[in-house]
Amino acid sequence: MRLEMMEKDSSGKVITEIQVLTVRELKKWLNKPYVVAMMLIQPLLWIALFGKAFNLTGIFSIPPDLLKNLPPYVTQQIQTMFNGILSRLFGNAQIDYFSYMAIGMMAVISLFAGLQTGMSLSWDRRLGYLNKLLVSPISRGSIIVSKVLGGTVKALVQSLIILLIALPFGLKLEIAGLWQVLAALLGLVLFAIGIGTLMISITLKAKSWETQMTVMNLLNLPLMFASNVLVPLAMMPDWLQVVAKFNPLTYTADILRQALLMGTEASTSAILKDLGILTLTAAILLTVGVFVAGKTLRKD
Amino acid sequence: MMEDVVVENLWKIYPGGIQAVKGISFTVHHGEIFSLLGPNGAGKTTTISILTTLIKPTKGKALVGGFDVEKEAKRVREIIGLVPQDIVVDDDLTGWDNLMVQAALYHIPKSVARKRAEDLLEFMDLKEFANKKAENYSGGMRRRLELAAALLHRPKILFLDEPTLGLDVQVRTAVWDYINRIRKEEDMTLIMTTHYMEEADKLSDRVAIIDYGEIKALGSPKELKDSLGGDIIEVEVEALPEGSSLESLIPVNGMVKEVKLRGNVIRIKTAEGEKALPNIVISLSSKGVTVKSVNLIKPSLDEVFMEFTGKRIRESEVSKEEVFKERAIMRRRAR
């Protein structure tokens, strides 16, 4: 009985610790609005330049004057063919490329936020703040969990900002339904947690912040290109499709599109598959993270 | 007397074979200010890191407040405070928020934390800056905020790692004042590291001189200085008269303990410099020696360090990381 009470007491303490450190993380972030703004610039540029200039779905639509000059049976065949290509690439829903990309960028900004999580720990170590935490009688896990949670909240907020900015520029939302949106949010959270934990593990192992930077630069663009963020998987060469299928970013982008763009065409089985894969990824990365943290935070 | 820290045959060998601490032993009594004095790289910070549970010792035993730093790390963490070498105030937060985070880490109830934070900010003369972001603080203010944060949970034992590193002389003296006040007002044991002789001398009850991972001498500043055997008088002379020996000019007696000649300077070790000095000058003049200048050197820890290690403290040798820190401090000031 006494033991149980003590345990309750200590788990309550851990929650306080995580809460305080997460709030610290977010306060630090909000106290530097220019950093938030700068984080958003890259995905916004992608949307603006790529999404608007490179109108993939526009390529496959047939100009009306061309249709007028052809006999009806030819236009019908062309129409069927083009529609076939479009639905093979983008599904049956009426999606314009700008919307396709904007939603993809919500996943990308979560990736960036997740990658930043490691840097935040790196700086705490470099500036000595980590030692201050380690000298205090808090649970070592609280430090890691709060970093990852902080990163996840940042990811959510930033992807919401992307969504809000893209709306006036022509993002056409076709919401599938409440549970689909909630599932997509959960997927986004799991993805951010996974990436954040991965980066924390790398930071703990690598020690130097230069390594950390290198890993970040190594991961961000390849992960973005080897996914369905910019182009549908069907448009990729076979080998790249295989890579993209192992990239959690693909499933994050897909679940968001299912929920936010597909409307009635959203597929329940696709959403469940995405969610399952993202859960599995997060679970694996978390296990690795906990293991690495347990080993390295106890220095010797 | 209660022992707050007991260190027995402590070793720390880093991966790669660097022996940072080589079998040191010492005890720190309750309520005293104990200093580890030594040059950069002597093993001071390693020792502090072991005592504050940041790193594990390779060999040996260390008890802090009666708890083993390895086996009872959490108990140790509950009763200690650390003011680390780097100024680790969180720049992006206000002074107040910095203290509130710290308080929460030690699970101090909010109302208690607020009261204590107010008192400490007052004590450290930071009250009017409480709601300013710490990045606007000067180096001295950061140190004070750091001290306040470390005191928030009323530690039994406070560790200060180079508390005045990178601060200019005036600010340094001010920080000493605060440390002295903490000591007067709180029932606390203070353990600090420093490579500033004057700091160790002015603040500490006892000093351990540490070099290359070994303790070379340990005692109160007065004991250490007395061990030198008294004052040193340096007399610069024109030239010694032909044929006269040093011994005949200044005979070693009860007052004069040792006489050496270095170029044109006669270096005399004596118990009481003030009393010996006039006699020596008169005696030299009467023997026809022209005295150009005299210098009475009181024994300092610098001299003690020289005596025990054979060299001056290498203050000029600064590590790369320290340069980074000092520059960081300067940048912050410049803003």
Side-chain angles (χ1 to χ4, degrees), chain A residues 13 17 20 24 27-28 31-32 126-129 131-138 140 299-300, chain B residues 12 54 56 74 77-78 82 88 90 92-93 97 101-102 104-107 133 146 321 324:
Chain A
K13 276 186 172 179
E17 290 159 7
V20 166
R24 163 184 177 248
K27 264 194 184 166
K28 277 168 78 78
N31 279 348
K32 282 186 288 190
R126 187 153 161 76
L127 296 178
Y129 198 88
N131 276 354
K132 190 158 151 172
L133 295 180
L134 290 174
V135 164
S136 73
I138 60 170
R140 315 284 98 166
K299 293 185 221 169
D300 42 28
Chain B
K12 179 67 198 179
L54 281 174
K56 284 181 179 171
K74 198 161 183 208
R77 287 176 195 136
E78 275 162 7
L82 170 68
V88 303
D90 197 329
D92 305 325
L93 300 183
D97 281 344
V101 171
Q102 182 83 7
L105 295 179
Y106 288 86
H107 301 285
K133 263 203 241 174
E146 199 76 72
E321 194 65 2
F324 167 76

Side-chain angles (χ1 to χ4, degrees), chain A residues 125 200-201 204-205 207 291-300:
Chain A
R125 176 159 56 200
I200 294 279
S201 312
L204 289 173
K205 271 274 168 212
K207 311 259 168 183
F291 178 73
V292 172
K295 274 201 112 172
T296 47
L297 276 183
R298 253 174 269 133
K299 293 185 221 169
D300 42 28

Side-chain angles (χ1 to χ4, degrees), chain B residues 152-167:
Chain B
L152 208 52
H153 62 287
R154 306 242 161 103
K156 271 179 69 182
I157 304 163
L158 182 65
F159 292 88
L160 303 146
D161 194 4
E162 299 274 5
T164 59
L165 182 77
L167 300 180

Side-chain angles (χ1 to χ4, degrees), chain B residues 19-39:
Chain B
Q19 300 182 328
V21 173
K22 295 186 257 188
I24 59 171
S25 303
F26 62 88
T27 55
V28 180
H29 313 313
H30 179 70
E32 74 174 343
I33 298 188
F34 184 90
S35 286
L36 290 165
L37 172 70

